[in-house]
């Protein structure tokens, strides 16, 4: 039986996906990341439907969300997750290039666990991913699984 | 004394006892203690116990006294009392030893004594006690024993005497105590009884009890100076005296009888006397029990109380009073009465003779006559002269005759008022009246003369009055004018206030109509507004629907008359409507109708202001002035409201533009930064993978790519901050600029540490601004100053405030840094405009652009002054308005 992927990354830009995975790899955290390209796919994954109907059951330990995505955007995904008792306990980190105050405020209002603005400097980004991984994946004790 | 051969020490003992100890004979314990001390001194420190023989043969001897006992508590112990019981049998002097094998010997050794000498004390072969000598150490020697034996009869006799004296004394004490108790009981009875008790001896009072004192009103001391007759009604005295004499003689007569007694004040009270004879101080005395048989002591006390108040009141009113008992012919007089007659109160006993001395012969006999004629209940009032010393005075006497059945007492109540002063006053008044009459007479004459003079004067004054009235009218008119101008000011201020408060256009126009209606009574007011070249009623006051319709109708028909020619050439002067309108006015029952066109600043016709009404006393010039002001105000309101609407449209458009800008900023933030990140990310990855294989030049190229991307990232971030700066709403509050500067300098510490900087910071006071934005300004200016002084060995930064010639406060930050060429001054505040190369002084060129934008938003201005290589000074002002 395959191990449950532990991190879900929702990001539409292929360059960003590659760089993010690179950053995770640099920090040796890249083994368990599933990537989706829009908000709809992210929700499909979380609810095990559509292309993810057959995926092994279980919630990811962390969701990394880009805000600006086609179809369903990051804030909508966040809102849906925090409304659902089964999903609301999954830590969500918004990973975006937007510094818009309204985005930050809205994200926190919806109950995001962290908001990270991707720095232009790649080494800084690698560092940020490292800290993120250490805290949310290694240190944080996930809540008991809701079935 | 059996033995006369007493040695010297024994003689001394006897002498001591007789001289020093016998004085204590009445204090038995002390007496015995003294004897024991003397004995102890004589024998030599032995333990001595004196005992007394009990009257009861069954009981052991009572211990009288124990002296110098080794252990005093032993006296209370069993071996000791056992010894006493055993010794009681002995009739002669005996000596016991602890080792003699006797029972006492055994007890002695138990108590720790070596021996005991026992000496019985006898008087006539009767035992009165024992004297015991204990010794713990040595045996008694024979001279001691002999001495004791010789002294035994002496000790016996003085002890006997002392005991007898003691018992006598006890007896006396007992008797005295009983006597004292009897006396206390007697006293208690005498003091607490309700009945008055007095004792008479030789016709004088020698004792009284509290009840007698209360009944008659004398103090105990006063009682003792009284004769028996002093307290008896003189009419009764004979009867009482007879009884007294018979009683003292021992005749068998009844003990009690009724009579009348007199108290200290002279009041007569019916009383029952219960008399008996007794021994007092070895002589016969007359014991009298007094009882107030009217049985109204309490009532009387209340009466006396109220009488005292009455007397006091009379005293205050200077009214004298006395009571005269007709039969006994005695007087009871008030203090004031004494004073009226010139005597010290109660200094003499008042009698008919004294009264006679105070009155003229004639007056006295008249008074007597009228008193005799009086019946009980009659009242007589008379004014009579009397004498006070040598002075003749006048008084008013009010007398009332009264009688009491029960006691058969008749008396006169008299009140005397001195009226000498009244009489004198009356005489004076009469004199005064006479002179007054004379004066009135002469004055009347004078008055008549003046009246005539006045009449002629009055005629003149009528003329003056007319002149005055005319002047008054003129004044009134002026006042009206002033009042009207005030009304106009009120109209203006009300309209402008409404405008300032943002009241709606329609409401303000209505206010104008209502106000004008108030100013011109009985008027109709209407505003007509131009709409598509037609006039339509917009607001009105004081007009009914019918009148309104009538005016509108007429106006519709006469548009051309109201606006001859084009709107721009409208005659701005007010004018009376043309003759054609007289008919309309009549039909509408108006007597006048004014109109005034409402003209905008740019000569555009906005409408007409109409004023119609009945004829009033208001001058036409005023009506037209009101109309004129009204029309101008209306034009102002309409124009302002139009401007407001235009401004609203403009601001709405501005908001839309801001939103667009925001969207743009968002796209810059997100879309522009993303590819930049990717370039940086992939270049970094590439660099990491191939850095080892690259030549120095290629590595340099890679580094330049990375640096450029990062720099572009910073530029984008700064641009975002700049755009945000312009969009954030201002949150103004009062800020202490000094505190703000301090906090900025603290934040810039990383740039400061390790440098030699001289700071000059003046007191800056407070400003009204947006805290965050103003802080951004200070950060930019101060960090610039720090940046451009970096090449100076000793930097100097001066922050202060000056006032410019407009009275504005100009804040500045000045440094001694590299400065700038004033020729490029205009480039300082542009976005991304820089005067230095990046490798000289890093920066994106947005800081001062931000400063300018923030200051502009605060309604202020920024200025820069610099000299190449000689420092720079940046200053700014802020809008001082708080709202």
């Amino acid at each position: 039986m395959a191990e449950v992927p532990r991190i879900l990354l929702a990001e539409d830009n292929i360059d960003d996906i590659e760089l993010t995975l690179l950053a995770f790899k640099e920090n040796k955290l890249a083994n368990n990341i599933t990537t989706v390209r829009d908000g709809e796919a992210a929700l499909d994954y979380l609810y095990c439907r559509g292309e993810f109907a057959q995926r092994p059951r279980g919630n990811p330990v962390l969701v990394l969300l880009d805000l600006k995505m086609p179809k369903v955007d990051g804030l909508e995904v966040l809102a849906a997750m925090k409304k659902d008792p089964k999903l609301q306990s999954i830590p969500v980190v918004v990973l975006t290039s937007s510094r818009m105050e309204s985005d930050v405020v809205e994200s926190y209002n919806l109950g995001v666990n962290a908001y990270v603005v991707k720095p232009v400097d790649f080494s800084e980004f690698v560092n940020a991913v490292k800290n993120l991984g250490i805290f949310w994946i290694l240190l944080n004790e996930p809540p008991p699984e809701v079935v | 004394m059996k033995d006369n051969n007493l040695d010297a020490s024994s003689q001394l003992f006897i002498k001591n006892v007789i001289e020093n100890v016998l004085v204590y004979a009445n204090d038995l314990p002390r007496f015995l203690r003294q004897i024991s001390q003397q004995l102890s001194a004589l024998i030599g420190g032995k333990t001595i116990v004196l005992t007394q023989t009990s009257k009861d043969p069954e009981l052991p001897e009572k211990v009288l006294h124990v002296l110098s006992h080794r252990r005093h508590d032993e006296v209370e112990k069993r071996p000791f009392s056992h010894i006493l019981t055993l010794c009681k049998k002995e009739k002669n002097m005996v000596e016991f030893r602890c080792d003699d094998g006797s029972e006492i010997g055994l007890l002695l050794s138990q108590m720790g004594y070596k021996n005991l000498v026992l000496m019985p004390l006898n008087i006539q072969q009767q035992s009165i006690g024992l004297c015991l000598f204990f010794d713990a150490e040595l045996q008694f020697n024979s001279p001691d024993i002999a001495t004791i034996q010789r002294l035994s009869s002496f000790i016996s006799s003085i002890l006997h005497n002392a005991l007898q004296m003691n018992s006598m004394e006890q007896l006396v004490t007992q008797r005295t105590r009983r006597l004292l108790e009897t006396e206390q009981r007697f006293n208690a009875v005498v003091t607490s009884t309700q009945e008055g008790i007095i004792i008479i001896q030789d016709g004088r009072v020698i004792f009284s009890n509290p009840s007698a004192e209360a009944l008659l009103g004398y103090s105990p001391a006063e009682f003792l100076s009284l004769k028996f007759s002093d307290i008896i009604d003189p009419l009764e005295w004979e009867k009482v005296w007879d009884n007294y004499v018979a009683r003292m003689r021992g005749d068998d007569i009844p003990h009690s009888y009724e009579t009348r007694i007199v108290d200290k004040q002279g009041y007569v009270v019916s009383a029952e006397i219960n008399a008996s004879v007794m021994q007092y101080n070895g002589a016969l005395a007359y014991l009298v029990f007094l009882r107030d048989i009217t049985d109204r002591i309490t009532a009387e006390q209340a009466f006396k109380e109220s009488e005292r108040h009455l007397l006091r009141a009379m005293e205050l009113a200077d009214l004298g009073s006395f009571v005269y008992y007709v039969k006994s012919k005695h007087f009871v007089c008030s203090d004031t009465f004494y004073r009226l007659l010139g005597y010290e109160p109660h200094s003499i006993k008042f009698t008919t003779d004294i009264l006679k001395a105070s009155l003229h012969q004639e007056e006295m006999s008249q008074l007597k006559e009228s008193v005799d004629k009086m019946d009980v209940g009659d009242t007589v009032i008379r004014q009579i002269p009397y004498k006070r010393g040598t002075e003749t005075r006048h008084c008013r006497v009010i007398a009332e005759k009264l009688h009491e059945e029960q006691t058969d007492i008749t008396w006169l109540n008299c009140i005397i008022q001195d009226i000498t002063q009244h009489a004198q006053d009356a005489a004076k008044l009469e004199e005064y009246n006479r002179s007054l009459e004379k004066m009135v007479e002469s004055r009347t004459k004078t008055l008549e003369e003046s009246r005539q003079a006045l009449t002629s004067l009055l005629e003149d004054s009528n003329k003056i009055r007319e002149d005055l009235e005319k002047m008054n009218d003129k004044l009134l008119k002026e006042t009206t004018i002033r009042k009207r101008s005030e009304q106009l000011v009120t109209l203006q201020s009300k309209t402008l206030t409404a405008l300032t408060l943002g009241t709606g256009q329609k409401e303000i126009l209505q206010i104008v109509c209502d106000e004008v209606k108030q100013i011109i009574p009985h008027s109709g007011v209407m505003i007509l507004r131009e709409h598509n070249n037609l006039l339509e009623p917009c607001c009105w006051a004081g007009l009914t629907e019918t009148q309104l319709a009538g005016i509108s109708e007429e106006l519709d028909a006469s548009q051309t008359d109201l606006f001859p020619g084009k709107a721009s050439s409208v005659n701005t002067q007010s004018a009376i409507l043309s003759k054609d309108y007289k008919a309309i006015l009549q039909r509408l029952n108006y007597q006048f109708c004014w109109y005034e066109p409402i003209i905008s600043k740019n000569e555009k016709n906005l409408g007409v202001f109409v004023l119609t009404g009945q004829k009033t006393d208001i001058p036409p010039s005023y009506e037209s002035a009101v109309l004129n002001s009204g029309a101008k105000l209306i034009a102002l309101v309409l124009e302002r409201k139009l401007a407001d609407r235009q401004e609203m449209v403009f601001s709405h458009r501005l908001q839309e533009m801001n939103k667009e800008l925001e969207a743009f900023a968002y796209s810059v933030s997100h879309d522009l930064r993303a590819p930049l990140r990717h370039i940086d990310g992939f270049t970094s990855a590439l660099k990491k993978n191939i850095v080892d294989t690259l030549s120095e030049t290629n590595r340099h190229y890679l580094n330049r790519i990375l640096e450029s991307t990062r720099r572009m990232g910073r530029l984008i971030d700064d641009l975002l901050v700049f755009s945000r700066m312009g969009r954030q709403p201002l949150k103004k509050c009062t800020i202490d600029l000094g505190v703000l500067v301090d906090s900025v300098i603290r934040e810039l510490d990383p740039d400061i540490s390790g440098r030699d900087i001289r700071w000059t910071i003046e007191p800056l006071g407070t400003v009204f601004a947006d805290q965050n934005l103003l802080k951004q300004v200070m950060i930019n200016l101060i960090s610039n100053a720090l940046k451009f002084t970096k090449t100076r060995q000793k930097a100097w930064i001066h922050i202060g405030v000056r006032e410019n010639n407009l009275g504005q406060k100009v804040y500045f930050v000045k440094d001694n840094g590299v400065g700038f060429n004033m020729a490029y001054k205009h480039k300082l505040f542009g976005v991304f405009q820089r005067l230095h190369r990046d490798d000289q002084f890093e920066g994106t060129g947005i800081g001062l652009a931000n400063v300018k934008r923030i200051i502009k938003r605060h309604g202020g201005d920024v200025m820069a002054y610099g000299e190449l290589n000689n420092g720079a000074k940046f200053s700014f002002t802020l809008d001082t308005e708080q709202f």
Side-chain angles (χ1 to χ4, degrees), chain B residues 453-660:
Chain B
L454 257 176
T455 314
S456 61
L457 247 170
L458 216 65
E459 280 158 15
D460 292 346
S461 76
N462 267 342
K463 278 177 205 156
I464 295 169
R465 196 169 56 80
E466 276 163 26
D467 289 350
L468 269 174
E469 267 168 17
K470 275 177 205 157
M471 270 170 71
N472 207 13
D473 280 351
K474 205 173 151 196
L475 210 66
L476 205 69
K477 271 176 206 155
E478 276 171 16
T479 313
T480 315
I481 289 165
R482 193 176 306 137
K483 197 178 146 201
R484 281 170 190 157
S485 68
E486 270 167 21
Q487 284 173 334
L488 281 181
V489 170
T490 312
L491 168 68
Q492 276 177 11
S493 75
K494 275 196 182 170
T495 313
L496 294 178
T497 308
L499 204 57
T500 319
L501 291 176
T503 315
Q505 176 174 307
K506 181 104 179 161
E507 284 86 348
I508 301 176
L509 295 180
Q510 191 61 53
I511 289 170
V512 176
C513 289
D514 292 343
E515 279 297 313
V516 171
K517 167 88 182 68
Q518 286 252 314
I519 297 169
I520 316 282
H522 317 296
S523 65
V525 185
M526 180 163 65
I527 297 169
L528 297 156
R529 288 201 56 198
E530 194 269 348
H531 186 68
N532 293 338
N533 278 331
L534 283 174
L535 288 171
E536 286 174 4
C538 158
C539 279
W540 55 88
L543 291 172
T544 63
E545 290 291 325
T546 332
Q547 288 168 333
L548 198 65
I551 292 175
S552 303
E553 198 180 305
E554 299 305 332
L555 285 172
D556 277 348
S558 57
Q559 289 286 337
T560 45
D561 282 356
L562 280 165
F563 299 111
K566 295 282 177 193
S568 58
S569 62
V570 154
N571 180 10
T572 54
Q573 297 299 311
S574 58
I576 297 178
L577 287 177
S578 60
K579 285 176 189 169
D580 301 347
Y581 287 90
K582 278 191 178 164
I584 307 168
L585 288 175
Q586 274 163 10
R587 194 144 59 84
L588 293 174
N589 207 14
Y590 287 134
Q591 287 176 348
F592 70 89
C593 182
W594 298 85
Y595 76 92
E596 175 84 30
I598 302 164
I599 310 292
S600 73
K601 266 187 207 153
N602 49 11
E603 302 277 290
K604 195 170 173 259
N605 185 41
L606 300 174
V608 181
F609 188 39
V610 183
L611 181 62
T612 65
Q614 308 298 329
K615 197 71 201 152
T616 61
D617 54 353
I618 296 166
S621 65
Y622 183 56
E623 285 164 0
S624 97
V626 170
L627 199 65
N628 195 281
S629 302
K632 276 182 186 154
L633 272 174
I634 293 160
L636 183 75
V637 170
L638 292 175
E639 275 183 296
R640 174 72 76 86
K641 286 292 171 187
L642 183 69
D644 283 357
R645 278 196 294 279
Q646 280 168 350
E647 198 184 305
M648 234 157 76
V649 170
F650 180 71
S651 98
H652 186 69
R653 210 181 300 153
L654 203 68
Q655 268 176 6
E656 275 178 359
M657 275 167 71
N658 264 338
K659 266 191 193 143
E660 274 166 33

Side-chain angles (χ1 to χ4, degrees), chain A residues 16 26 68 97 100 122, chain B residues 666 671 673 677 680 688:
Chain A
D16 269 319
E26 291 267 305
K68 215 177 152 210
S97 29
M100 293 289 289
F122 183 67
Chain B
Y666 189 89
D671 299 349
R673 282 174 92 247
R677 262 190 299 107
D680 189 82
K688 192 186 168 197

